[in-house]
Amino acid sequence: PSVNQFEFHPLYQPHALMTYCIKHNIQMQAYGSLGASESHSPENMHKNGKHKLLDHASIREIAEKYNKSTAQILLRYGLQHNFIVIP
């Protein structure tokens, strides 16, 4: 394949798959960059319906430091790791 789409964000990084893609010159495409759709279980969601990844303390701290939203930080994270990003 020329592109492999898989979940990727700061709390989920499948290193073996990433290494394989890089070795075989396969473009990586990230989905779930703001919190994977499969992880909408109660333990991953706040009562207000917001995914905990968007409100993670470390991500929030970085966002405040750079005057950006947590979503912007999460999307940039994927881009800086050479992923095509699908929010």
Side-chain angles (χ1 to χ4, degrees):
S2 58
V3 178
N4 191 358
Q5 183 184 85
F6 51 93
E7 180 180 354
F8 178 80
H9 51 74
L11 301 182
Y12 184 75
Q13 303 164 31
H15 293 289
L17 180 56
M18 293 167 60
T19 301
Y20 179 87
C21 288
I22 292 166
K23 180 180 178 183
H24 296 283
N25 200 29
I26 299 170
Q27 175 64 54
M28 298 174 290
Q29 185 175 41
Y31 75 82
S33 300
L34 303 179
S37 59
E38 291 85 15
S39 62
H40 286 281
S41 57
E43 66 270 9
N44 292 325
M45 301 294 291
H46 289 293
K47 289 180 183 176
N48 65 5
K50 188 176 181 182
H51 198 282
K52 288 183 180 179
L53 186 58
L54 289 169
D55 198 35
H56 191 278
S58 296
I59 297 167
R60 202 173 55 245
E61 183 179 317
I62 294 167
E64 289 171 4
K65 178 179 178 180
Y66 293 102
N67 197 31
K68 303 292 180 187
S69 69
T70 53
Q72 287 175 302
I73 297 299
L74 291 168
L75 295 175
R76 179 67 182 255
Y77 183 83
L79 293 173
Q80 286 185 299
H81 284 84
N82 298 316
F83 275 77
I84 298 168
V85 177
I86 299 176

